């Protein structure tokens, strides 16, 4: 019986040894898997650190883009205000131009009336000259001088001027009543 027990124990020991060997192999495989997982975790950690750095850079870039957008928005608003100001000036200029056009049209009409009046006056003067100058020319013709008054016309014809300008003296009562007392300013000198 002891031999049988010994054989059973040996068999049990061999089975146990095989189980321990399998457990040892499984542990080694688990250790290998754990080492592999550790490596993957390190790589993942490195990737996450890289992603974190990229995220920080992206955050900075987004902040810069946001600042640029705000600047662009402010510049656009400034440009819009300038454009509105220019549009107002253009509108005012157009209104002034329209008023000037109306005034120019009125001046043009007045000029046309004045031209017509000048032509009528010239025609009338030509008719008057045609009637008067032949009568004045019977005394030997007129010299080529400017004739501004009846005296100059008479002098040009060599005649005595009969034209006198009547001057009427105003009475002192009329002066006092209408003008008032005028101080003698010469006495102040």
């Amino acid at each position: 019986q002891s031999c049988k027990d010994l054989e059973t124990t040996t068999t049990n020991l061999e089975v146990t040894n095989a189980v321990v060997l399998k457990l040892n192999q499984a542990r080694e495989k688990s250790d290998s898997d754990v080492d592999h997982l550790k490596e993957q975790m390190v790589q993942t950690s490195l990737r996450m650190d890289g992603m974190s750095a990229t995220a920080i850079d992206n955050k900075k870039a987004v902040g810069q883009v946001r600042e640029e957008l705000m600047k662009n928005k402010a510049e656009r608003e400034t440009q819009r205000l300038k454009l509105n100001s220019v549009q107002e000036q253009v509108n005012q200029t157009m209104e002034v131009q329209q008023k000037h056009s109306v005034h120019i049209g009125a001046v043009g009409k007045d000029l046309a009336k004045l031209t017509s009046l000048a032509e009528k006056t010239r025609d009338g003067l030509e008719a008057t000259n045609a009637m008067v100058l032949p009568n004045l020319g019977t005394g030997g013709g007129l010299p080529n001088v400017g004739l501004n008054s009846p005296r100059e016309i008479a002098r040009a014809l060599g005649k005595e001027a009969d034209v006198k300008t009547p001057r009427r003296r105003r009475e002192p009562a009329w002066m006092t009543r209408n003008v008032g007392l005028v101080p003698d300013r010469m006495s102040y000198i």
Side-chain angles (χ1 to χ4, degrees):
Q1 184 171 19
S2 299
C3 263
K4 217 177 189 186
D5 285 341
L6 188 65
E7 277 182 29
T8 308
T9 303
T10 304
T11 307
N12 283 340
L13 278 176
E14 286 176 2
V15 170
T16 303
N17 205 7
V19 169
V20 168
L21 181 66
K22 283 186 179 180
L23 283 176
N24 195 18
Q25 287 174 349
R27 186 189 55 82
E28 286 177 359
K29 187 176 183 226
S30 294
D31 285 346
S32 172
D33 288 344
V34 166
D35 288 341
H36 183 68
L37 286 175
K38 281 182 183 179
E39 275 184 39
Q40 286 180 347
M41 283 180 63
V42 167
Q43 290 175 358
T44 303
S45 177
L46 289 174
R47 271 190 254 134
M48 287 184 70
D49 288 343
M51 289 177 154
S52 176
T54 304
I56 289 171
D57 291 343
N58 288 343
K59 186 177 180 181
K60 287 179 184 177
V62 166
Q64 290 174 350
V65 168
R66 185 174 288 141
E67 287 177 14
E68 289 178 14
L69 283 174
M70 295 302 284
K71 286 179 186 176
N72 287 343
K73 183 178 179 182
E75 288 176 8
R76 190 189 70 194
E77 185 65 24
T78 303
Q79 293 298 328
R80 188 182 64 79
L81 292 174
K82 286 180 182 178
L83 184 63
N84 287 343
S85 174
V86 168
Q87 184 64 38
E88 281 183 31
Q89 290 175 353
V90 166
N91 290 342
Q92 290 173 354
T93 304
M94 288 176 69
E95 288 176 9
V96 168
Q97 184 180 7
Q98 199 171 26
K99 288 177 184 177
H100 287 321
S101 296
V102 169
H103 290 304
I104 288 171
V107 168
K109 288 179 183 177
D110 291 344
L111 186 60
K113 289 177 185 177
L114 185 60
T115 303
S116 173
L117 181 63
E119 288 175 0
K120 288 178 185 177
T121 303
R122 186 186 67 221
D123 293 342
L125 282 175
E126 287 176 359
T128 301
N129 286 341
M131 290 188 298
V132 171
L133 289 180
N135 293 336
L136 292 177
T138 58
L142 292 175
N144 191 8
V145 293
L147 305 175
N148 294 327
S149 67
R151 271 193 193 146
E152 289 177 1
I153 294 172
R155 199 177 315 133
L157 292 173
K159 298 181 181 178
E160 186 66 32
D162 294 336
V163 179
K164 291 184 180 175
T165 332
R167 290 198 179 197
R168 192 172 158 195
R169 192 167 184 169
R170 296 203 170 115
E171 300 172 11
W174 182 90
M175 289 289 287
T176 307
R177 183 176 62 241
N178 292 321
V179 178
L181 294 176
V182 179
D184 184 14
R185 290 193 173 86
M186 293 304 288
S187 66
Y188 294 125
I189 298 176

